[in-house]
Every structure is written in C-alpha cells, then in structure tokens.
Amino acid sequence: MSRFVSRRSALAAVITGAAALGLPPAPVLAVNRRVARTSPSANTMEIYAPLSGEIVDIKDVPDVVFAEKIVGDGVAIKPNGSTIVAPADGTIGKIFETNHAFSIETDKGLELFVHFGIDTVELRGEGFRCVAEEGQRVYQGDTIIEFDLALLEEKAKSTVTPVVISNMDEISGLTKLSGSVTAGRTVILRAVKE
C-alpha cells in the first residue's frame, strides 16, 4: 500500500481510526509548504482562537495525523475554558456526530478544521454539547460547541485541540502566533491566500 494518502482519507482516519480504513500507522502526505511572508496584504486573513487556553506547537500534538500536518497546518490549544467558538466568519461545514470536531469554510475561502482533543471520538459525545448546526452561518466568536473540561481531562487521551487550515495548497504564507489566548478574541494564525 502506498504511504501517500489523500487529505480526505487522512481526515477520515482521524475521525474513525487509521486501522479501520486500512491506512498505515504513520501515513505521509507530500505537500508543498512555503515560508510565511511577514508583510501584511489584502490577501492576509486572521484566524481567531476557537477556545481559550495556551497555544501548543502543532508538532507537539500526540497524534501523527496532526503532528505531521497530514490534514493541514496550524496550531493546537491546551484549553482552559468550556466553549468552542467560530474562529472566523463563515459557514459550518460538518459537525461530527460525537460533537468533538467541526469544519468551517470562512467567508474568505479558508477551510478550517477544529478537533477537540485526541481520541475523543471514542467518548461518543460524552462531555460535549453542540450549539450550532451544519450549514449554519456563524460569526467570529459565536459558540459552536460547549464542553465539560474536567470530564474530558479525566477521560480523553489529551485535550490539546488542533486548529488547522485544510486547504493549505491555496496558502502562500502562514504565521503562527503563540502564548495565552482567549476564545474569539486572540489571533492565532495569519494566512496569506494565493
């Protein structure tokens, strides 16, 4: 079997488990990444923190699918709050039935994927309550999912939450910020779209 997989297969592997799809344990995706530009332009888009906490380098996420940037590039957040909000104005694409992850297409064409914790799909929705709906128009800071952090810290493998841009092939530069963040108020990513 080839070690190269599509973005869709890699994303499905995160949700259902790589073994269920017959994927190798550490798939590799060949993607051309460019160094971030430092000068702002009209094509620069800001992505805000979807939850409060501390930014973690995506390479430090304890899941190869995120750490190796197979489903996209971005940052992760170690949460300290109880809500996940829209990181930008846009439309909710998919909210997974276990309410632990969602995708959003921003008004400026970025495809974002927010995945609370690692292996949280195994909790089958326990600790999560969905507030938004698929196809819903949302604005930066609107609540999408509420969660019980104490319960999830006890039961999940990790609560570190990746926030990635899945259409990186359309991005010519990406700046990742660091530090403490507040949901809906702190910029975490600046992306330059081609």
Side-chain angles (χ1 to χ4, degrees):
M1 173 178 219
S2 170
R3 295 205 25 101
F4 293 92
V5 295
S6 71
R7 185 180 342 153
R8 184 178 305 263
S9 294
L11 186 57
V14 170
I15 305 308
T16 62
L21 294 173
L23 294 174
V28 177
L29 177 65
V31 178
N32 180 18
R33 305 271 189 235
R34 295 186 183 107
V35 177
R37 295 180 188 160
T38 55
S39 60
S41 72
N43 295 336
T44 301
M45 293 160 273
E46 294 185 328
I47 304 304
Y48 289 80
L51 61 171
S52 296
E54 189 75 25
I55 291 180
V56 175
D57 190 311
I58 197 75
K59 295 175 190 170
D60 295 331
V61 173
D63 185 321
V64 68
V65 174
F66 293 106
E68 293 185 6
K69 305 175 188 176
I70 293 167
V71 294
D73 199 358
V75 298
I77 299 172
K78 176 71 176 159
N80 64 16
S82 62
T83 59
I84 303 176
V85 303
D89 296 350
T91 303
I92 299 295
K94 173 77 177 160
I95 298 175
F96 295 91
E97 66 183 52
T98 52
N99 297 325
H100 73 287
F102 69 94
S103 64
I104 179 173
E105 182 172 347
T106 72
D107 290 348
K108 295 186 177 182
L110 289 182
E111 296 170 7
L112 304 175
F113 181 56
V114 179
H115 186 282
F116 186 97
I118 304 304
D119 294 339
T120 45
V121 67
E122 295 172 6
L123 298 176
R124 302 179 188 266
E126 184 181 5
F128 297 99
R129 187 176 81 79
C130 188
V131 176
E133 298 177 359
E134 291 180 3
Q136 181 179 334
R137 169 93 174 121
V138 293
Y139 298 92
Q140 174 195 321
D142 287 353
T143 300
I144 308 298
I145 297 169
E146 295 174 340
F147 59 90
D148 181 339
L149 184 58
L151 175 84
L152 295 169
E153 286 177 331
E154 177 184 323
K155 294 191 172 194
K157 176 179 176 182
S158 171
T159 59
V160 170
T161 301
V163 181
V164 299
I165 300 171
S166 58
N167 59 334
M168 284 301 296
D169 55 327
E170 299 177 23
I171 303 301
S172 61
L174 182 63
T175 302
K176 302 175 183 184
L177 289 95
S178 60
S180 295
V181 295
T182 302
R185 294 186 176 181
T186 309
V187 174
I188 60 170
L189 298 168
R190 286 192 181 94
V192 179
K193 196 160 186 221
E194 295 181 335

PDB file of all heavy atoms in Angstrom, residues 30-48:
ATOM      1  N   ALA A  30       2.562  14.198   0.784  1.00  0.00           N
ATOM      2  CA  ALA A  30       3.504  15.135   0.176  1.00  0.00           C
ATOM      3  C   ALA A  30       2.771  16.446  -0.088  1.00  0.00           C
ATOM      4  O   ALA A  30       1.797  16.477  -0.822  1.00  0.00           O
ATOM      5  CB  ALA A  30       4.052  14.559  -1.128  1.00  0.00           C
ATOM      6  N   VAL A  31       3.206  17.514   0.547  1.00  0.00           N
ATOM      7  CA  VAL A  31       2.588  18.819   0.397  1.00  0.00           C
ATOM      8  C   VAL A  31       3.684  19.863   0.293  1.00  0.00           C
ATOM      9  O   VAL A  31       4.671  19.809   1.006  1.00  0.00           O
ATOM     10  CB  VAL A  31       1.685  19.157   1.613  1.00  0.00           C
ATOM     11  CG1 VAL A  31       1.093  20.532   1.481  1.00  0.00           C
ATOM     12  CG2 VAL A  31       0.593  18.120   1.761  1.00  0.00           C
ATOM     13  N   ASN A  32       3.503  20.816  -0.583  1.00  0.00           N
ATOM     14  CA  ASN A  32       4.465  21.896  -0.725  1.00  0.00           C
ATOM     15  C   ASN A  32       4.110  22.998   0.263  1.00  0.00           C
ATOM     16  O   ASN A  32       3.068  23.622   0.158  1.00  0.00           O
ATOM     17  CB  ASN A  32       4.434  22.429  -2.169  1.00  0.00           C
ATOM     18  CG  ASN A  32       5.410  23.553  -2.394  1.00  0.00           C
ATOM     19  OD1 ASN A  32       6.341  23.737  -1.623  1.00  0.00           O
ATOM     20  ND2 ASN A  32       5.206  24.294  -3.466  1.00  0.00           N
ATOM     21  N   ARG A  33       4.965  23.233   1.233  1.00  0.00           N
ATOM     22  CA  ARG A  33       4.756  24.285   2.229  1.00  0.00           C
ATOM     23  C   ARG A  33       5.685  25.451   1.914  1.00  0.00           C
ATOM     24  O   ARG A  33       6.845  25.257   1.585  1.00  0.00           O
ATOM     25  CB  ARG A  33       5.073  23.772   3.632  1.00  0.00           C
ATOM     26  CG  ARG A  33       4.294  22.546   3.986  1.00  0.00           C
ATOM     27  CD  ARG A  33       2.988  22.934   4.616  1.00  0.00           C
ATOM     28  NE  ARG A  33       2.343  21.744   5.133  1.00  0.00           N
ATOM     29  CZ  ARG A  33       1.127  21.388   4.792  1.00  0.00           C
ATOM     30  NH1 ARG A  33       0.422  22.112   3.991  1.00  0.00           N
ATOM     31  NH2 ARG A  33       0.610  20.298   5.285  1.00  0.00           N
ATOM     32  N   ARG A  34       5.203  26.664   2.061  1.00  0.00           N
ATOM     33  CA  ARG A  34       6.020  27.832   1.817  1.00  0.00           C
ATOM     34  C   ARG A  34       6.238  28.580   3.121  1.00  0.00           C
ATOM     35  O   ARG A  34       5.422  28.514   4.025  1.00  0.00           O
ATOM     36  CB  ARG A  34       5.334  28.744   0.806  1.00  0.00           C
ATOM     37  CG  ARG A  34       5.216  28.078  -0.552  1.00  0.00           C
ATOM     38  CD  ARG A  34       4.665  29.078  -1.576  1.00  0.00           C
ATOM     39  NE  ARG A  34       4.495  28.411  -2.833  1.00  0.00           N
ATOM     40  CZ  ARG A  34       3.318  28.086  -3.341  1.00  0.00           C
ATOM     41  NH1 ARG A  34       2.218  28.386  -2.707  1.00  0.00           N
ATOM     42  NH2 ARG A  34       3.251  27.464  -4.492  1.00  0.00           N
ATOM     43  N   VAL A  35       7.311  29.319   3.183  1.00  0.00           N
ATOM     44  CA  VAL A  35       7.617  30.118   4.366  1.00  0.00           C
ATOM     45  C   VAL A  35       6.657  31.306   4.413  1.00  0.00           C
ATOM     46  O   VAL A  35       6.322  31.906   3.388  1.00  0.00           O
ATOM     47  CB  VAL A  35       9.087  30.618   4.304  1.00  0.00           C
ATOM     48  CG1 VAL A  35       9.392  31.513   5.483  1.00  0.00           C
ATOM     49  CG2 VAL A  35      10.037  29.438   4.253  1.00  0.00           C
ATOM     50  N   ALA A  36       6.228  31.654   5.603  1.00  0.00           N
ATOM     51  CA  ALA A  36       5.277  32.758   5.782  1.00  0.00           C
ATOM     52  C   ALA A  36       5.897  34.091   5.394  1.00  0.00           C
ATOM     53  O   ALA A  36       7.061  34.354   5.645  1.00  0.00           O
ATOM     54  CB  ALA A  36       4.817  32.809   7.233  1.00  0.00           C
ATOM     55  N   ARG A  37       5.096  34.914   4.769  1.00  0.00           N
ATOM     56  CA  ARG A  37       5.513  36.281   4.458  1.00  0.00           C
ATOM     57  C   ARG A  37       5.307  37.134   5.697  1.00  0.00           C
ATOM     58  O   ARG A  37       4.405  36.910   6.478  1.00  0.00           O
ATOM     59  CB  ARG A  37       4.652  36.850   3.324  1.00  0.00           C
ATOM     60  CG  ARG A  37       4.844  36.130   2.024  1.00  0.00           C
ATOM     61  CD  ARG A  37       3.948  36.764   0.976  1.00  0.00           C
ATOM     62  NE  ARG A  37       3.974  35.966  -0.224  1.00  0.00           N
ATOM     63  CZ  ARG A  37       3.060  36.016  -1.156  1.00  0.00           C
ATOM     64  NH1 ARG A  37       2.035  36.836  -1.050  1.00  0.00           N
ATOM     65  NH2 ARG A  37       3.162  35.262  -2.221  1.00  0.00           N
ATOM     66  N   THR A  38       6.127  38.142   5.835  1.00  0.00           N
ATOM     67  CA  THR A  38       5.996  38.980   7.029  1.00  0.00           C
ATOM     68  C   THR A  38       5.217  40.265   6.759  1.00  0.00           C
ATOM     69  O   THR A  38       4.725  40.882   7.678  1.00  0.00           O
ATOM     70  CB  THR A  38       7.386  39.343   7.582  1.00  0.00           C
ATOM     71  OG1 THR A  38       8.150  39.955   6.556  1.00  0.00           O
ATOM     72  CG2 THR A  38       8.095  38.096   8.078  1.00  0.00           C
ATOM     73  N   SER A  39       5.098  40.685   5.522  1.00  0.00           N
ATOM     74  CA  SER A  39       4.383  41.934   5.247  1.00  0.00           C
ATOM     75  C   SER A  39       2.895  41.657   5.038  1.00  0.00           C
ATOM     76  O   SER A  39       2.522  40.766   4.291  1.00  0.00           O
ATOM     77  CB  SER A  39       4.959  42.622   4.005  1.00  0.00           C
ATOM     78  OG  SER A  39       4.831  41.781   2.894  1.00  0.00           O
ATOM     79  N   PRO A  40       2.014  42.398   5.739  1.00  0.00           N
ATOM     80  CA  PRO A  40       0.581  42.190   5.595  1.00  0.00           C
ATOM     81  C   PRO A  40       0.107  42.652   4.219  1.00  0.00           C
ATOM     82  O   PRO A  40       0.673  43.557   3.628  1.00  0.00           O
ATOM     83  CB  PRO A  40      -0.021  43.040   6.716  1.00  0.00           C
ATOM     84  CG  PRO A  40       1.008  44.047   7.048  1.00  0.00           C
ATOM     85  CD  PRO A  40       2.340  43.440   6.692  1.00  0.00           C
ATOM     86  N   SER A  41      -0.944  42.012   3.731  1.00  0.00           N
ATOM     87  CA  SER A  41      -1.520  42.405   2.450  1.00  0.00           C
ATOM     88  C   SER A  41      -3.020  42.211   2.497  1.00  0.00           C
ATOM     89  O   SER A  41      -3.558  41.713   3.478  1.00  0.00           O
ATOM     90  CB  SER A  41      -0.912  41.561   1.321  1.00  0.00           C
ATOM     91  OG  SER A  41      -1.412  40.240   1.391  1.00  0.00           O
ATOM     92  N   ALA A  42      -3.681  42.576   1.404  1.00  0.00           N
ATOM     93  CA  ALA A  42      -5.127  42.409   1.329  1.00  0.00           C
ATOM     94  C   ALA A  42      -5.520  40.942   1.347  1.00  0.00           C
ATOM     95  O   ALA A  42      -6.643  40.599   1.686  1.00  0.00           O
ATOM     96  CB  ALA A  42      -5.653  43.075   0.066  1.00  0.00           C
ATOM     97  N   ASN A  43      -4.576  40.067   1.010  1.00  0.00           N
ATOM     98  CA  ASN A  43      -4.857  38.635   0.986  1.00  0.00           C
ATOM     99  C   ASN A  43      -4.592  37.951   2.326  1.00  0.00           C
ATOM    100  O   ASN A  43      -4.723  36.743   2.432  1.00  0.00           O
ATOM    101  CB  ASN A  43      -4.017  37.949  -0.098  1.00  0.00           C
ATOM    102  CG  ASN A  43      -4.414  38.415  -1.480  1.00  0.00           C
ATOM    103  OD1 ASN A  43      -5.525  38.865  -1.699  1.00  0.00           O
ATOM    104  ND2 ASN A  43      -3.495  38.324  -2.413  1.00  0.00           N
ATOM    105  N   THR A  44      -4.182  38.717   3.336  1.00  0.00           N
ATOM    106  CA  THR A  44      -3.903  38.148   4.646  1.00  0.00           C
ATOM    107  C   THR A  44      -5.189  38.009   5.449  1.00  0.00           C
ATOM    108  O   THR A  44      -5.961  38.955   5.571  1.00  0.00           O
ATOM    109  CB  THR A  44      -2.887  39.015   5.419  1.00  0.00           C
ATOM    110  OG1 THR A  44      -1.689  39.102   4.663  1.00  0.00           O
ATOM    111  CG2 THR A  44      -2.585  38.425   6.784  1.00  0.00           C
ATOM    112  N   MET A  45      -5.400  36.799   5.976  1.00  0.00           N
ATOM    113  CA  MET A  45      -6.594  36.517   6.767  1.00  0.00           C
ATOM    114  C   MET A  45      -6.192  36.140   8.176  1.00  0.00           C
ATOM    115  O   MET A  45      -5.218  35.408   8.358  1.00  0.00           O
ATOM    116  CB  MET A  45      -7.374  35.380   6.117  1.00  0.00           C
ATOM    117  CG  MET A  45      -7.948  35.780   4.771  1.00  0.00           C
ATOM    118  SD  MET A  45      -8.334  34.350   3.774  1.00  0.00           S
ATOM    119  CE  MET A  45      -6.740  34.097   3.014  1.00  0.00           C
ATOM    120  N   GLU A  46      -6.936  36.624   9.149  1.00  0.00           N
ATOM    121  CA  GLU A  46      -6.656  36.303  10.544  1.00  0.00           C
ATOM    122  C   GLU A  46      -7.662  35.277  11.050  1.00  0.00           C
ATOM    123  O   GLU A  46      -8.855  35.399  10.806  1.00  0.00           O
ATOM    124  CB  GLU A  46      -6.705  37.562  11.410  1.00  0.00           C
ATOM    125  CG  GLU A  46      -5.593  38.541  11.066  1.00  0.00           C
ATOM    126  CD  GLU A  46      -5.529  39.740  11.985  1.00  0.00           C
ATOM    127  OE1 GLU A  46      -6.600  40.173  12.479  1.00  0.00           O
ATOM    128  OE2 GLU A  46      -4.405  40.219  12.206  1.00  0.00           O
ATOM    129  N   ILE A  47      -7.124  34.295  11.754  1.00  0.00           N
ATOM    130  CA  ILE A  47      -7.944  33.259  12.375  1.00  0.00           C
ATOM    131  C   ILE A  47      -7.822  33.448  13.886  1.00  0.00           C
ATOM    132  O   ILE A  47      -6.719  33.552  14.413  1.00  0.00           O
ATOM    133  CB  ILE A  47      -7.452  31.844  11.981  1.00  0.00           C
ATOM    134  CG1 ILE A  47      -7.428  31.693  10.456  1.00  0.00           C
ATOM    135  CG2 ILE A  47      -8.301  30.769  12.647  1.00  0.00           C
ATOM    136  CD1 ILE A  47      -8.739  31.963   9.773  1.00  0.00           C
ATOM    137  N   TYR A  48      -8.961  33.495  14.555  1.00  0.00           N
ATOM    138  CA  TYR A  48      -9.001  33.733  15.995  1.00  0.00           C
ATOM    139  C   TYR A  48      -9.112  32.415  16.762  1.00  0.00           C
ATOM    140  O   TYR A  48      -9.577  31.405  16.235  1.00  0.00           O
ATOM    141  CB  TYR A  48     -10.176  34.654  16.340  1.00  0.00           C
ATOM    142  CG  TYR A  48      -9.931  36.065  15.871  1.00  0.00           C
ATOM    143  CD1 TYR A  48     -10.139  36.422  14.550  1.00  0.00           C
ATOM    144  CD2 TYR A  48      -9.454  37.027  16.751  1.00  0.00           C
ATOM    145  CE1 TYR A  48      -9.881  37.715  14.109  1.00  0.00           C
ATOM    146  CE2 TYR A  48      -9.204  38.331  16.318  1.00  0.00           C
ATOM    147  CZ  TYR A  48      -9.415  38.653  14.995  1.00  0.00           C
ATOM    148  OH  TYR A  48      -9.153  39.926  14.558  1.00  0.00           O
TER     149      TYR A  48
END
